[in-house]
């Protein structure tokens, strides 16, 4: 099994504030990893370092053969291999669902409009929103917008998908429909790093759980660490989450 | 007070009125198109990482926005000619207008760009779009959509300000009217006709901006938001 993402002693500072204090973990191709931890523990920052939305001050990150901290890194090539879905969906409001999905296919992969459309259609079907192809984001519910955002990333056929609390803005019913899409993906063999507070999802879909605390990887293991935590911090965290 | 209106006295001059109006439109169209380009470039420069660039553009914008247009046009036409840079009247008019439109447009467009949430840019970066593509596809179009009403009223104000070009003897609508009234001594009628023509041009411009808006912002058309 090949390593898809590897963080080694990653240090990230915002000015004086050290947010990641030597974070290391490895994720194999096809693995689904849930990244959990208190607010402010550095989960989002860790994800954002992986596709270089943040630059790191120390350590190294390797993603599908790209060295992220290498000054000669081709950032766009790195990002072609990584899909990212955000808590606030971040669909482009002036574009239809189809245009949102087709944009990167055309601009980054250089597809013609009709080619991109043929790619967009089945991906949208996969998230169950074929009939919304010509809608604008503001005409969709939050759950639908998030599913379009997932489809937009998927259409690029990334090797790794990053999810940053993608259901936190949604009510339970809409959360369910988004999580189902993600569980489908997980079953399909996608490599996924999922920052989440949905412990149910973590238990069902994750091969592995990484618990971060104060900018460090505090505890890691199979989904069973959620019901049987080893460190007092994770114990307390799980008690709060319930 | 019994004034005898005599619009008939103006009839022989209808071609002059028309050519004045056309000149006004021409000056406006050229300066709006070029000024918009300069304004967008300056708005981008105002947000650049390069401090010198930001400062230079800032000085330009402040200088233009804090001086009257008539001073600007005198500076360009009379001022520059005294150091040997001579321009035809219409060229000087368009030049002065472009400088002016560029500065105001820059501030309006910048406000629009600032209103684009950084998360939009991050989403585009995460998809692998280049800096240029992000500016064009993610920032510029929605930014201009948001400030479109301010932008179009600014352009209409500038069309009205072309009347100041008559001060350097440009043969635009007001300049033409000044000549006609000094020939006919019918100033009331002359400026009445001129006022109507300005109103007509204003409405023409509004219609044009409305049409352009429908083409440029299909979302607003589809969702019935108006432009
Ligand atoms: N751009 C930034 N500038 C300065 N500080 C930042 C920045 N981004 C994050 N931080 C700080 O880094 C720390 C970790 O933030 P991060 O967003 O990674 O936490 P998180 O684990 O994702 O929390 P949450 O569950 O609330 O999303 C926080 O203290 C935060 O204030
Ligand atoms: Mg976070």
């Amino acid at each position: 099994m090949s390593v898809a993402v590897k963080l080694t002693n990653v240090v990230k500072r915002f000015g004086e504030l050290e947010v990641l204090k030597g974070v290391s973990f490895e994720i194999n191709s096809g693995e689904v990893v849930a990244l959990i931890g208190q607010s402010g523990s550095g989960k989002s920052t860790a994800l954002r370092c992986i596709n270089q939305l943040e630059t790191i001050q120390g350590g190294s990150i390797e993603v599908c053969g790209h060295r992220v901290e290498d000054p000669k890194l081709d950032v766009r090539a790195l990002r072609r291999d990584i899909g990212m879905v955000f808590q606030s969906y971040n669909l482009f409001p002036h574009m239809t669902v189809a245009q949102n999905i087709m944009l990167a296919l055309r601009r980054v992969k250089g597809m013609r409009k009709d080619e991109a459309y043929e790619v967009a259609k089945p991906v949208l079907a996969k998230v169950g929103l074929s009939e919304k192809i010509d809608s604008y984001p503001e005409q969709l519910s939050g759950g639908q917008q998030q599913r379009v955002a997932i489809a937009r990333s998927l259409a690029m056929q990334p090797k790794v998908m990053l999810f940053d609390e993608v259901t936190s803005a949604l009510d339970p019913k809409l959360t369910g429909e988004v999580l189902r899409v993600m569980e489908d993906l997980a079953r399909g063999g996608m490599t996924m790093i999922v920052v989440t507070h949905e412990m149910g999802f973590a238990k069902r879909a994750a091969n592995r759980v990484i618990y971060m605390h104060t900018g460090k990887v505090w505890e890691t293991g199979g989904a069973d660490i959620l019901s049987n935590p080893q460190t007092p911090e994770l114990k307390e965290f799980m008690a709060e989450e319930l | 007070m019994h004034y005898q209106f005599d619009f008939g006295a103006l009839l022989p001059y209808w071609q002059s009125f028309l050519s004045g109006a056309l000149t006004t439109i021409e000056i406006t169209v050229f300066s709006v198109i070029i000024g918009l380009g300069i304004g967008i470039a300056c708005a981008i420069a105002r947000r650049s990482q390069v401090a010198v660039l930001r400062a230079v553009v800032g000085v330009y914008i402040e200088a233009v926005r804090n001086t009257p247009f008539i001073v600007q046009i005198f500076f360009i036409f009379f001022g520059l000619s005294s150091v040997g840079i001579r321009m035809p009247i219409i060229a000087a008019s368009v030049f002065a207008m472009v400088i002016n439109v560029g500065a105001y447009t820059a501030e309006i467009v910048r406000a629009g760009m600032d209103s684009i949430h950084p998360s939009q840019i991050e989403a585009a970066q995460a998809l692998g779009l280049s800096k240029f593509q992000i500016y064009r596809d993610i920032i510029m179009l929605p930014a201009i959509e948001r400030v479109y009403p301010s932008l179009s009223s600014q352009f209409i104000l500038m069309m009205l300000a072309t009347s100041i070009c008559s001060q350097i003897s440009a043969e635009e609508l007001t300049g033409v009217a000044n000549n006609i009234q000094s020939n006919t001594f019918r100033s009331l009628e002359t400026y009445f006709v001129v006022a109507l023509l300005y109103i007509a041009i204003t409405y023409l411009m509004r219609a044009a901006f409305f049409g352009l808006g429908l083409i440029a912002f299909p979302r607003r058309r589809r969702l019935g938001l108006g432009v």
Side-chain angles (χ1 to χ4, degrees):
Chain A
M1 203 179 259
S2 66
V3 176
V5 179
K6 182 175 180 179
L7 277 72
T8 314
N9 276 318
V10 170
V11 175
K12 169 69 200 173
R13 277 185 292 268
F14 291 107
E16 295 288 287
L17 181 71
E18 194 166 72
V19 174
L20 300 182
K21 302 169 183 165
V23 169
S24 303
F25 58 75
E26 261 184 50
I27 287 149
N28 293 322
S29 295
E31 229 183 352
V32 177
V33 171
L35 190 54
I36 61 170
Q38 272 95 343
S39 182
S41 56
K43 308 178 297 291
S44 299
T45 306
L47 275 199
R48 294 163 56 82
C49 289
I50 292 173
N51 68 352
Q52 232 215 37
L53 286 179
E54 306 286 358
T55 48
I56 60 177
Q57 275 75 51
S60 72
I61 302 180
E62 209 175 318
V63 186
C64 307
H66 307 278
R67 290 295 289 237
V68 176
E69 74 283 1
D70 185 343
K72 293 194 295 288
L73 167 80
D74 180 351
V75 183
R76 296 184 65 198
L78 168 78
R79 290 173 178 161
R80 248 200 310 276
D81 286 340
I82 306 175
M84 185 166 196
V85 186
F86 303 83
Q87 179 176 345
S88 49
Y89 336 130
N90 302 353
L91 294 180
F92 306 125
H94 58 297
M95 298 182 189
T96 63
V97 166
Q99 289 166 342
N100 263 279
I101 299 176
M102 289 157 60
L103 178 70
L105 293 171
R106 298 179 63 192
R107 298 285 186 260
V108 181
K109 292 204 163 167
M111 288 185 185
R112 288 197 318 266
K113 204 169 174 172
D114 53 325
E115 290 173 327
Y117 193 77
E118 289 311 312
V119 174
K121 268 197 303 192
V123 181
L124 201 54
K126 202 165 173 175
V127 300
L129 288 172
S130 294
E131 77 284 4
K132 300 292 185 191
I133 193 156
D134 289 320
S135 301
Y136 282 94
E138 68 196 271
Q139 297 174 300
L140 305 178
S141 74
Q144 291 171 333
Q145 291 193 44
Q146 194 58 294
R147 280 145 68 199
V148 172
I150 293 174
R152 179 174 70 177
S153 285
L154 273 184
M156 294 296 286
Q157 297 187 301
K159 296 178 181 147
V160 179
M161 290 275 288
L162 310 176
F163 295 85
D164 192 358
E165 300 203 36
V166 298
T167 59
S168 295
L170 302 173
D171 65 34
K173 180 173 165 287
L174 300 182
T175 296
E177 69 189 33
V178 173
L179 291 182
R180 266 194 299 283
V181 167
M182 291 167 64
E183 283 170 46
D184 273 352
L185 266 184
R187 271 194 298 277
M190 176 59 79
T191 309
M192 297 164 60
I193 307 179
V194 185
V195 173
T196 185
H197 288 281
E198 295 291 332
M199 293 307 151
F201 170 82
K203 282 176 187 163
R204 282 195 306 277
N207 308 109
R208 214 142 51 80
V209 174
I210 297 174
Y211 170 63
M212 281 184 68
H213 184 64
T214 60
K216 295 188 186 105
V217 173
W218 206 260
E219 187 172 337
T220 112
D224 53 303
I225 67 166
L226 296 175
S227 28
N228 187 18
Q230 301 302 303
T231 58
E233 288 79 5
L234 180 54
K235 237 176 230 152
E236 194 183 321
F237 174 71
M238 288 308 295
E240 282 164 15
E241 287 294 309
L242 295 175
Chain B
M1 234 173 69
H2 30 78
Y3 184 84
Q4 282 297 82
F5 282 98
D6 182 10
F7 285 101
L10 300 180
L11 262 177
Y13 296 95
W14 70 273
Q15 275 179 323
S16 309
F17 278 115
L18 201 64
S19 92
L22 286 177
T23 306
T24 292
I25 293 173
E26 268 168 32
I27 296 177
T28 307
V29 166
F30 279 110
S31 44
V32 161
I33 292 173
I34 305 171
L36 178 63
I38 290 179
I40 290 174
C42 289
I44 293 171
R46 279 292 262 171
R47 292 159 50 100
S48 125
Q49 319 263 346
V50 188
V52 182
L53 193 60
R54 280 202 309 272
V56 169
V57 173
V59 168
Y60 156 58
I61 293 173
E62 284 301 298
V64 170
R65 285 174 20 117
N66 295 312
T67 51
F69 181 54
I70 194 162
V71 172
Q72 295 163 16
I73 198 167
F74 282 171
F75 179 86
I76 284 166
F77 188 66
F78 299 121
L80 292 188
S81 84
S82 66
V83 294
I85 305 172
R86 275 169 228 281
M87 273 177 271
I89 289 170
I90 292 295
S93 302
V94 171
F95 188 56
M97 289 271 293
V98 162
I99 299 281
N100 192 287
V101 172
Y104 280 95
T105 304
E107 280 302 277
I108 297 173
V109 170
R110 183 166 71 113
M113 292 169 72
D114 287 347
S115 78
I116 303 300
H117 201 275
S119 63
Q120 287 281 305
I121 296 160
E122 284 188 344
Q125 286 175 328
L127 284 167
L129 268 68
S130 70
K131 221 169 166 171
F132 171 76
Q133 292 169 338
I134 293 174
Y135 256 112
R136 187 189 52 191
D137 299 328
I138 307 303
I139 303 179
M140 230 49 216
L141 200 66
I144 290 183
E145 178 180 329
R146 269 179 220 182
V147 296
Y148 196 62
S150 335
L151 216 48
S152 35
S153 32
Q154 182 63 37
F155 293 158
I156 288 173
L157 282 178
M158 282 318 292
M159 182 278 289
L160 297 176
T162 52
S163 61
I164 292 171
C165 302
S166 64
Q167 295 298 311
I168 59 167
S169 319
E171 299 268 301
E172 46 63 64
L173 193 45
T174 303
V176 164
N178 294 345
N179 296 339
I180 295 174
Q181 71 89 25
S182 67
N183 288 343
T184 60
F185 304 106
R186 287 286 160 190
S187 53
L188 190 60
E189 290 87 342
T190 304
Y191 290 113
F192 184 74
V193 170
V194 162
L196 288 183
L197 286 170
Y198 274 115
I199 291 171
I201 299 175
T202 303
Y203 277 93
L204 206 65
M205 283 180 77
R206 282 206 201 148
F209 284 125
F210 181 77
L212 282 175
L214 288 183
I215 298 167
F217 315 123
R219 182 184 68 102
R220 305 195 70 83
R221 183 179 68 220
R222 273 268 307 285
L223 302 182
L225 298 173
V227 282

